[in-house]
Each structure stands twice: as structure tokens, then as C-alpha cells.
Amino acid sequence: MNAEKFLELALIAFKEKKVDKALWLLVQALKCNPLFSEAWLWRGHILSSMDDWFNALLHYEKAIDIEPNYPVGWTGAGFAFAQIAAWESAEKYFKKSLELMPAVEPNINLGNMCCHRMKLEEAVNYFKEVLKLDPNHHDAKVGLGLTLLGLGKWLEGWPYYYYRHDNKPFQPRARRWIQEWPGEDLSNKTIVLYPEQGLGDEIAFMRFAKVLANLNPTAKVILETRPSLVRTARTLASNVKVIADFDDFPEGIDYSCALMDVPKYLGVGFEDVDSKPYLHQPLGTTKHKDFRIGLCWSSGQRLLQPETFGVAQRKSIPLEWLKPLTQFGATLISLQREHLDYKVAKEMNIDSHHIDQIKDFADTADIIKDLDLVITVDTAVAHLAGAMGKPTWNFVRYSGYWPWMSETDKTCWYDCMKIYRQPQLENWDEPINRATKD
């Protein structure tokens, strides 16, 4: 059997998810012809599918050595470099691939890579180039929308961001059986706004349910929310009816709309955001002489979007890195429901006795109301504290360009919030030092 036949059988095995067999067959192909670049390339692809980035990179490099003008090899190597955060090498390889073949894949890869490196203007250019080549490219539309929003160009970004409904990683659009609101007058109409994405997004954007209700006084605005947020959302406004997403659905609904699409229809720019508190938890009643800081050091994960787990890890801070906060004598209170840092938490004398009693965000809000300051990496806690008007220090990863844009101090979302952003990828030292001095 020749090398080409072994490759053919390997691709069939890989399609049938017989990974080990596919890799073995490719070895046989290379025994027949050690300079068979496609076999080296496909071993790289299969190893990439196994997240074995280092070995995948070795195979891509071998394919390139044999066939230097093979753009797929450069793209594969660039992607492998990106996965191990070797961004300069990734950029070099993606650009070489683009030079060899001006196509969709190298442009989309360069766009995504520029977003990770906060080169947002460059990312916009790459995403637009993809759309010239393929006007229906879903990832380019969503990527362009997110990048424009991250640049503060909200009015330009909302229409592109809307395409998130068409595919993963976002959940399928709910309430498809109800006519989608086209943005027209809501006089004497009933509209339901449904949640999507993370809980932090839901908290941040529920303010626009109140805006919509205030702009349409004869309309009935129903905010559908996840069970853990129902009690909290019911403090939003008397002219917004709140239901849980598992409740019996009311009859007589005229329109539905994703909560995060409301700003699109209202023509909201970042300068239009009302940054005053909008969740009205009763004021704290417990008098205390000590200064109380609520801590949340690990980001929550979206169970419906497992592909975001890596982002959650990059947003989190090892608890021991926050030990400098203990030198000022403040009382540290945990807002972290799930973690494995029990030893460090005990060393830092973090009060966690109440955690088992937290059942929903209203319980968390009940703790926050008696705090003097919230320090958090988790966006749900950040948005909750900000929406309550509680002084909040929000630690943001370097490439967290949406919704925090490029902000490094103040934010358009909340008057009471201060942003502490990584100056480079994986660098928490500078924001922690700055917070300690503040």
C-alpha cells in the first residue's frame, strides 16, 4: 500500500473518531514517504483536535519545511502558537499564510488574535476583509460586532452583534414562537424580554428593561429572568413585570426580544448609559466599626457555553496573590460560592460562614449591602454590586474588551466602580499593586 492510500484510510478513521488508528495510519504513510507533507499536516490537525499543541506544532513545522508554500501548514502552526499564547509567533505564521493565500481562515485567525492582544482597530480590518470574501461568514459578523462594541462604537456594532443568535457559541434564540420585536412603537402592546449568555450580562442589561418601560408608558414590559435572579430583578422597577424562565408563560404577548438586543433598537451608545444604581436592595442595617471588603476571586462558568471555561480561568486570580489586602486590617468576607482555596482563605482569615446560606443573587445582595467595598473578578458579582451602587473594584483581564472596552479606571456602566485591568496578558501583579496602594 502506498502513502496516499494510508492517508485516505487515516482520514476515514479520523472521520469515524478513531483517533489512535488515524495517527497510526499516518505513521505508516510517512514510513512509505517521509517527505509526504500532507501526512505531517494531518497528524498536526489530529493532535490539535486533542489539544496536544506542542506536538501538533512540531508536525506543522515539518510540513512547512517540506512544502514552504503550503498556506494550511502556516495556518495550523499559527493556531497552535496562539493556543499556547505565543502571540508574536502566531501573528507571524498567520500573516505568512495570508500572504500565500488571501482567504477567509487566515483573516479570521488574525482578527481573533488581534482581539486577544487588544489590537481592536486591526481586528476590525481583518473581520471586514473576511466579509468581503464571504459576506455570510457568521464568526466574522459576530467578531466584528463585539470588536466595534469594545471600541465604543456601539451604534455600528449592535447590528453585527445581533448575528450571535444564528449559531454557537450563543444559545439558540428563545421564544421563537412569539413575533420578534422589530423596534417599532409599543403603545398598548406587551413585550417579553428574555435572558441570554452570562448572569453578569443579564444583570447589566436588565436596566434597559426599565428604560424601555419608561419610554413606552402604555406598554406592558415583561422581563423573563433565570430563577437565581428573580428576587433581585423584582427590585428593578414597578413598571416591569418579572417572571422566571420556568414559569407558565403569560398569554397575550405581542412581541419578544433578547434582553441584550434592546439597546440596538433604542439606539443606545456608551455615552447614553445611565450609570446610577438601578437595583434597589434595602440599605444595610448592621452598624459596624470595621471596614468590610467582600472578595470574589474566581470567575463563574457558563454551563451552557463550555467553550467559555478557558476565559473564566483567565479572569480568575489565585487567592494567595490577594494576601497584600490583609495588611490593612480590613475584615474580609467571601462572596465566592464555590472554590478549593480553603487553606489560603483560612490563612487570610476570610469570613465564609454565610456561604452555604446563599441560594440566589438576592442573598448575595443582602451580604453586599453591609459591605464597604467589593473586590471581584467575577462579572456577575461586579454588575450586581455596581447596580446596587456599592463601591466596587473590578479586576478585568487584559483582553476583556466587552463590555469593559479599553477602560482602565472609570467605566460608563457604574459611577461606583473602578476598573483594575491587566496591562499585559496574564499580568495580575500591576493591578493588585495598584489596588493595594489605593
Side-chain angles (χ1 to χ4, degrees):
M1 199 163 3
N2 60 24
E4 288 77 9
K5 184 61 178 179
F6 277 120
L7 173 62
E8 180 183 339
L9 293 173
L11 297 182
I12 293 172
F14 184 51
K15 187 176 181 180
E16 294 174 347
K17 302 186 185 305
K18 299 175 181 178
V19 175
D20 290 338
K21 181 179 179 181
L23 289 171
W24 180 85
L25 286 165
L26 290 168
V27 170
Q28 305 316 304
L30 291 169
K31 285 180 178 178
C32 295
N33 180 5
L35 297 180
F36 190 19
S37 60
E38 280 197 78
W40 289 106
L41 181 74
W42 272 101
R43 276 187 62 87
H45 288 339
I46 294 173
L47 290 166
S48 291
S49 74
M50 300 165 64
D51 294 340
D52 187 354
W53 304 112
F54 179 76
N55 282 312
L57 189 56
L58 294 177
H59 285 77
Y60 286 132
E61 292 278 20
K62 184 64 177 179
I64 292 169
D65 286 342
I66 297 168
E67 184 56 68
N69 294 323
Y70 200 14
V72 180
W74 291 92
T75 295
F79 191 75
F81 275 123
Q83 297 307 306
I84 60 174
W87 301 110
E88 291 184 5
S89 294
E91 183 174 6
K92 173 185 172 182
Y93 278 67
F94 284 148
K95 285 185 174 180
K96 180 63 177 180
S97 175
L98 186 60
E99 175 189 322
L100 291 169
M101 183 179 66
V104 164
E105 189 171 6
N107 276 293
I108 198 77
N109 288 333
L110 280 163
N112 290 331
M113 188 207 62
C114 285
C115 287
H116 282 293
R117 301 182 71 188
M118 287 299 286
K119 296 181 175 182
L120 300 187
E121 293 285 2
E122 289 184 44
V124 166
N125 294 332
Y126 285 120
F127 289 135
K128 286 184 175 180
E129 193 61 34
V130 172
L131 294 175
K132 288 180 184 177
L133 297 166
D134 179 2
N136 295 316
H137 197 285
H138 170 266
D139 290 349
K141 289 178 180 178
V142 176
L144 178 58
L146 281 168
T147 308
L148 289 168
L149 293 173
L151 284 166
K153 300 177 181 180
W154 288 14
L155 298 183
E156 188 180 351
W158 293 128
Y160 287 105
Y161 187 52
Y162 181 80
Y163 286 100
R164 70 192 182 279
H165 295 298
D166 292 343
N167 200 359
K168 286 186 175 183
F170 302 98
Q171 301 97 312
R173 188 184 306 147
R175 306 304 179 195
R176 288 184 182 271
W177 53 276
I178 301 175
Q179 181 181 348
E180 185 179 355
W181 180 46
E184 64 185 28
D185 180 47
L186 284 172
S187 297
N188 301 309
K189 301 291 186 181
T190 299
I191 184 171
V192 62
L193 309 176
Y194 56 83
E196 55 170 329
Q197 300 184 56
L199 292 163
D201 299 307
E202 190 172 342
I203 295 170
F205 280 76
M206 65 174 60
R207 74 183 78 201
F208 297 113
K210 180 179 178 181
V211 173
L212 188 64
N214 290 342
L215 289 173
N216 298 273
T218 64
K220 183 177 182 180
V221 176
I222 300 173
L223 176 61
E224 182 182 22
T225 189
R226 279 165 279 200
S228 62
L229 277 169
V230 169
R231 288 201 297 152
T232 299
R234 284 179 176 158
T235 72
L236 178 65
S238 60
N239 57 350
V240 175
K241 178 180 173 62
V242 175
I243 63 172
D245 60 0
F246 295 118
D247 285 352
D248 291 334
F249 209 62
E251 295 182 359
I253 306 296
D254 297 294
Y255 298 114
S256 69
C257 182
L259 182 60
M260 295 179 72
D261 284 332
V262 174
K264 165 183 176 285
Y265 292 116
L266 296 183
V268 174
F270 77 89
E271 67 279 357
D272 301 317
V273 175
D274 185 350
S275 54
K276 299 293 189 296
Y278 54 90
L279 294 180
H280 306 291
Q281 192 76 7
L283 295 175
T285 55
T286 304
K287 294 183 179 180
H288 53 269
K289 295 181 180 179
D290 55 334
F291 191 85
R292 298 187 176 185
I293 301 175
L295 279 183
C296 184
W297 60 91
S298 182
S299 179
Q301 297 180 338
R302 304 179 187 180
L303 297 181
L304 293 178
Q305 292 176 263
E307 61 277 0
T308 65
F309 289 2
V311 175
Q313 289 181 326
R314 291 193 294 274
K315 288 164 64 176
S316 301
I317 300 177
L319 180 57
E320 58 267 24
W321 293 6
L322 296 175
K323 282 185 178 181
L325 296 174
T326 63
Q327 64 184 292
F328 303 108
T331 299
L332 303 180
I333 297 174
S334 176
L335 298 174
Q336 191 72 52
R337 289 187 62 185
E338 298 177 356
H339 67 88
L340 299 174
D341 300 308
Y342 304 110
K343 181 180 178 181
V344 179
K346 186 175 181 180
E347 291 173 357
M348 294 175 64
N349 200 27
I350 296 176
D351 184 354
S352 304
H353 78 277
H354 52 278
I355 291 298
D356 291 340
Q357 301 170 17
I358 296 178
K359 305 303 180 185
D360 62 7
F361 278 90
D363 291 333
T364 303
D366 198 48
I367 297 168
I368 289 174
K369 73 181 182 183
D370 288 318
L371 299 174
D372 297 290
L373 174 67
V374 170
I375 299 177
T376 180
V377 302
D378 183 75
T379 51
V381 172
H383 285 298
L384 177 63
M388 293 170 60
K390 183 64 61 175
T392 303
W393 291 1
N394 183 12
F395 282 74
V396 177
R397 62 190 171 94
Y398 175 69
S399 56
Y401 57 92
W402 176 248
W404 309 113
M405 299 184 283
S406 58
E407 296 162 327
T408 57
D409 186 20
K410 297 295 183 181
T411 171
C412 69
W413 295 96
Y414 307 101
D415 288 341
C416 63
M417 183 175 288
K418 189 170 184 178
I419 301 292
Y420 292 84
R421 183 188 292 272
Q422 290 178 328
Q424 300 92 26
L425 288 164
E426 311 300 333
N427 180 1
W428 284 118
D429 291 341
E430 192 276 339
I432 291 173
N433 289 338
R434 184 156 59 96
T436 303
K437 292 176 181 177
D438 288 348

